[in-house]
Amino acid sequence: MQDLLRRYGFGLTLAMCLLVAFWLVMLVIVPNITLFEQSFRPYLPVTEVGGPKDVYSFNNYMKVFDGDVERSFLGFTFHIPVHVYTFGLTIFYSMVTTVICFVMAYPLAYFMAKIVNPKSLPTLILLLFIPLWVSEVLRAFAWWIILAFKGPLNALLLGVGLIEDPIRWTNMGYTGVVVGLVYTYVLFMLFPIYNAIQSLDTNQIEAAEDLGAPWWKIHWRIVLPHSKPGIASGSVMVFMLSAGSLLVPSILGSTTSQWFTQTIDQWFKDALDWNTASAYAFLLLLLCTVFVTVAMWLFKVKLSDIAK
Amino acid sequence: MSAGIDLENVCCDFGTFRAVDNANVSIRPGEFFSFLGPSGCGKTTILRMVSGFIEPTQGVIRIGGEDVRGKRPNQRPTALIFQNLALFPLMPIWENISFGLEVRGVDKATRRKKAEDLLKLVDLPGAADKMVSQLSGGQKQRVAIARALAVEPQVMLLDEPLSALDLKLRQHMRAELRAIQKRTGVTFIYITHDQGEALAMSDRVGVMSQGRIQQIADPREIYNNPVNGFVAGFVGENNVFEGTLGTVAGGMAGFDTAEGPFRARISAEAAGKPVKLYVRPEHTLLSATPGHENSLPVTVTEVSFEGAFISVHAQTEKGKILVAEIRNDGQATVPAMGAKLYALFAPDRAALLPDANVRA
């Protein structure tokens, strides 16, 4: 702080501190606190707000357990509250997205970090970034077109002869959603892994090879363990962003797919019940955090590793 | 089990740059062979070609008589010790050492046993469960050696492994490496730019410059009978005279310089090439009276007492500075500054040598 004062003087330091404080308090803390407080209060007509019925309770949170539906899985038929079911599927398909992103990003990250000629690396990174210059909405719609019944993907597969009849990609459960999420968030997986692998001493890879290790053993014992923090931070980012994404599931979702964020969105905009919507939003945040913490504990990753 | 290595007309190009030019060397099984040269002379390239990380552009490399071209490093009976050692920081020491066995599908108990045996061999018992970061530089060095020995290589390749250690430890590890090599009987190929290291440890030394092997011989031969000026200069100090070659007869030749005529040894190969006269400082004597040949009047300009020897700088009448080293036997007289003396050297202690063998 004194360093800051000496370097920028009193006026500038004060201005910087106030701006940061404004951003933190007004744009982060206050809105969240407001929603958090609202989430414990019932949804009431305006005239009754602040009245005798306006008391704190967990009722909004308990609403996820309302409305059982019958589902079957692997021949088992069971009853499950519809929102819990949606939440479970959201977590599950976010994991699927994360795994697909990892499978795609790891080889590319290794290629970029250790194989490609450093001179062509900037070009490669530019090529990877160009899609990010396009708005997320347009990218989602682009996939909607690609996956369309008479779209280019079906045309290509028909042309190659891999399929005989066109496939309704956007009406196959969560297929479209997962494709869109992978496309949107794969770079969030790529760059942390790239950074991690890049910091690996190439001599270690060569030493392992010299000691007789085949390529998969080198990856399993040397490269993967070294890049674990990068994989972990990439996975946390992709998982959290996927679970919290609204746009992609809204555009690329099918009639049989429902994302938990869409449920929250419906509480906000269709039911106009901000209280329950807030409760659901905090549930999503809390449960995702718990889930990530457990996953990190299972994979023996520390928070300090990720922060690196 | 150890194997010999033969390099036959081996060349290696990086783009238009020729890193190794026409290397021919035959390293015997069980030999401690050093490649000595300044950085960028191609010695590391030779090592990487033998280990399989680089393929030669031309020529054949044989390990134990077998042509290894096209074989990957993991298919060759060599083990490389990297300059920075490249130990695996995320594995405990015993897993580091037994990594090569793990790859070969050896079961865990046998691996552990082997790792502990090797730790005893390199004089580091009890370190099996430590992590790499807990060891000192010298200990890491031993672990790297143990890790390479674990796969029972026929050839060990060492890429300046002592360069990161401090002087005391380096001298200790020299003796240690030499002892381990003798104990295991494995062929060692050692890369270094430190002439002391190469001369002290090796059975034979190959001196390299600009991609070419200049001379292959045992350390004494390299120091006493260098084949050219580069070798003479790289493995020791010299007083050098330029001049014109006179008559050559019986391995000796006259040599006319600005300082006067001298007589010195010359080899059959050197005769006919442009040569210079090289005299080691320890063979340059200082005397109050002139000798009957190879003698020139000098004035002492600098005397530095180094303990085991006394280094004297003396200026000739033409202004050239000569260096003479006098062994301190306890009675040696230290010449006074400004003393007028004669510098002498025996004709068979001086050599007429051509310049380095380089590409035109």
Side-chain angles (χ1 to χ4, degrees):
Chain A
M1 192 68 199
Q2 269 171 0
D3 200 37
L4 217 61
L5 269 174
R6 197 171 54 242
R7 199 175 288 179
Y8 297 110
F10 180 75
L12 207 54
T13 308
L14 186 72
M16 282 193 288
C17 290
L18 283 179
L19 281 172
V20 172
F22 175 79
W23 173 74
L24 204 63
V25 174
M26 295 310 289
L27 303 182
V28 180
I29 295 176
V30 168
N32 275 294
I33 291 276
T34 313
L35 282 182
F36 191 65
E37 195 259 347
Q38 289 228 357
S39 72
F40 293 101
R41 284 161 54 181
Y43 176 45
L44 297 168
V46 184
T47 48
E48 291 181 35
V49 172
K53 282 188 187 167
D54 201 353
V55 288
Y56 291 125
S57 73
F58 280 101
N59 288 346
N60 292 332
Y61 287 86
M62 302 317 276
K63 279 185 196 161
V64 281
F65 296 113
D66 291 349
D68 275 11
V69 286
E70 191 179 290
R71 290 283 181 264
S72 63
F73 180 72
L74 296 174
F76 289 102
T77 306
F78 53 91
H79 290 269
I80 186 167
V82 65
H83 292 162
V84 173
Y85 182 70
T86 303
F87 182 78
L89 284 177
T90 302
I91 294 287
F92 175 75
Y93 283 107
S94 295
M95 274 165 62
V96 170
T97 305
T98 310
V99 170
I100 294 175
C101 280
F102 168 72
V103 169
M104 287 172 71
Y106 179 81
L108 184 59
Y110 183 78
F111 176 77
M112 282 164 60
K114 292 293 169 201
I115 296 173
V116 80
N117 182 349
K119 271 186 223 154
S120 42
L121 192 61
T123 320
L124 194 64
I125 291 177
L126 184 72
L127 285 175
L128 287 167
F129 264 114
I130 285 176
L132 278 191
W133 297 350
V134 181
S135 116
E136 203 180 324
V137 186
L138 282 181
R139 278 183 284 151
F141 270 114
W143 270 104
W144 195 70
I145 294 167
I146 292 170
L147 297 175
F149 189 65
K150 292 196 172 180
L153 182 64
N154 274 332
L156 179 78
L157 291 177
L158 283 169
V160 177
L162 275 175
I163 53 172
E164 286 178 7
D165 299 305
I167 298 172
R168 291 196 185 275
W169 297 104
T170 48
N171 206 10
M172 282 174 60
Y174 286 83
T175 312
V177 180
V178 171
V179 167
L181 288 174
V182 166
Y183 182 73
T184 312
Y185 297 128
V186 70
L187 290 187
F188 289 91
M189 183 69 93
L190 179 72
F191 283 98
I193 301 181
Y194 165 74
N195 279 333
I197 296 180
Q198 206 196 20
S199 70
L200 174 66
D201 177 12
T202 308
N203 280 351
Q204 288 199 15
I205 299 171
E206 292 190 340
E209 191 181 359
D210 191 60
L211 290 167
W215 67 269
W216 59 268
K217 190 92 185 174
I218 296 173
H219 281 276
W220 181 245
R221 290 287 272 146
I222 311 295
V223 187
L224 263 176
H226 179 87
S227 49
K228 203 164 92 174
I231 296 170
S233 70
S235 298
V236 168
M237 270 200 275
V238 171
F239 177 80
M240 285 300 228
L241 288 168
S242 298
S245 174
L246 174 63
L247 190 106
V248 173
S250 309
I251 293 173
L252 291 169
S254 71
T255 49
T256 51
S257 79
Q258 172 80 357
W259 213 245
F260 197 70
T261 49
Q262 289 177 291
T263 308
I264 299 173
D265 188 53
Q266 283 155 7
W267 278 116
F268 268 119
K269 295 204 208 117
D270 299 342
L272 293 174
D273 180 353
W274 282 41
N275 308 77
T276 306
S278 312
Y280 274 44
F282 281 104
L283 265 182
L284 180 67
L285 177 68
L286 182 74
L287 291 176
C288 281
T289 309
V290 168
F291 182 82
V292 165
T293 311
V294 170
M296 275 166 56
W297 176 74
L298 278 177
F299 285 100
K300 298 193 177 74
V301 183
K302 289 192 212 77
L303 203 61
S304 54
D305 292 339
I306 291 182
K308 265 187 244 172
Chain B
M1 185 44 186
S2 65
I5 294 124
D6 299 287
L7 269 63
E8 293 165 15
N9 306 319
V10 170
C11 297
C12 183
D13 295 334
F14 295 122
T16 56
F17 174 70
R18 176 150 286 194
V20 173
D21 188 29
N22 211 24
N24 279 290
V25 57
S26 183
I27 297 165
R28 303 179 200 113
E31 191 175 19
F32 196 124
F33 190 97
S34 294
F35 282 104
L36 172 67
S39 60
C41 72
K43 55 192 192 302
T44 298
T45 310
I46 286 193
L47 200 73
R48 290 178 71 81
M49 284 194 289
V50 175
S51 58
F53 289 110
I54 306 177
E55 282 291 317
T57 317
Q58 288 170 39
V60 185
I61 296 174
R62 292 179 207 282
I63 299 176
E66 188 196 350
D67 185 353
V68 292
R69 278 177 301 178
K71 283 199 172 184
R72 293 294 304 157
N74 52 18
Q75 301 166 319
R76 297 189 184 198
T78 58
L80 176 60
I81 295 183
F82 289 79
Q83 192 163 6
N84 67 357
L85 305 180
L87 296 176
F88 307 131
L90 300 176
M91 300 181 197
I93 297 304
W94 79 269
E95 279 187 33
N96 258 282
I97 293 173
S98 62
F99 182 78
L101 303 173
E102 183 189 329
V103 165
R104 286 162 177 75
V106 177
D107 69 274
K108 193 171 171 182
T110 316
R111 285 188 337 236
R112 173 90 199 195
K113 169 100 182 42
K114 178 92 185 185
E116 285 181 354
D117 288 349
L118 281 162
L119 279 171
K120 278 196 204 105
L121 177 79
V122 296
D123 208 13
L124 205 66
D129 290 308
K130 288 189 180 166
M131 296 305 280
V132 175
S133 55
Q134 290 171 280
L135 301 188
S136 69
Q139 290 173 325
K140 284 181 193 163
Q141 192 72 60
R142 289 157 204 256
V143 173
I145 294 164
R147 185 177 72 175
L149 286 172
V151 297
E152 290 172 6
Q154 296 175 15
V155 181
M156 282 268 267
L157 307 166
L158 300 98
D159 187 4
E160 307 205 21
L162 304 187
S163 59
L165 304 181
D166 61 61
L167 184 68
K168 266 265 148 53
L169 198 53
R170 201 154 64 217
Q171 282 169 343
H172 177 71
M173 285 309 294
R174 270 187 206 175
E176 197 89 339
L177 270 179
R178 181 75 189 156
I180 289 169
Q181 194 260 338
K182 288 293 160 229
R183 230 176 297 163
T184 56
V186 174
T187 315
F188 269 45
I189 301 184
Y190 192 90
I191 296 288
T192 182
H193 62 262
D194 181 329
Q195 38 109 358
E197 223 165 86
L199 297 182
M201 293 161 74
S202 320
D203 294 318
R204 284 194 301 159
V205 178
V207 183
M208 291 189 70
S209 173
Q210 297 183 33
R212 286 205 175 177
I213 300 178
Q214 305 289 329
Q215 184 172 9
I216 298 169
D218 64 63
R220 235 186 318 162
E221 184 74 6
I222 294 272
Y223 190 83
N224 290 338
N225 293 313
V227 294
N228 62 38
F230 175 81
V231 177
F234 199 76
V235 298
E237 300 299 318
N238 299 278
N239 293 311
V240 185
F241 297 90
E242 292 182 34
T244 48
L245 190 61
T247 48
V248 180
M252 302 297 280
F255 194 66
D256 288 320
T257 71
E259 309 285 348
F262 296 114
R263 225 162 55 82
R265 283 181 296 136
I266 190 163
S267 65
E269 300 90 67
K273 289 183 197 160
V275 293
K276 290 182 190 136
L277 179 65
Y278 292 82
V279 191
R280 299 268 187 224
E282 66 268 27
H283 297 146
T284 306
L285 311 172
L286 293 171
S287 163
T289 50
H292 72 277
E293 63 173 348
N294 291 357
S295 143
L296 64 166
V298 291
T299 310
V300 175
T301 57
E302 197 187 317
V303 178
S304 74
F305 182 77
E306 307 269 354
F309 63 91
I310 303 150
S311 168
V312 180
H313 287 215
Q315 195 170 29
T316 66
E317 286 170 341
K318 295 274 188 280
K320 187 178 175 66
I321 300 285
L322 300 182
V323 181
E325 273 174 21
I326 306 167
R327 227 178 72 76
N328 180 13
D329 56 2
Q331 296 159 353
T333 46
V334 181
M337 290 281 281
K340 304 272 188 202
L341 297 170
Y342 290 90
L344 315 170
F345 53 90
D348 60 348
R349 287 277 157 267
L352 292 163
L353 302 172
D355 288 339
N357 170 18
V358 292
R359 266 151 68 84

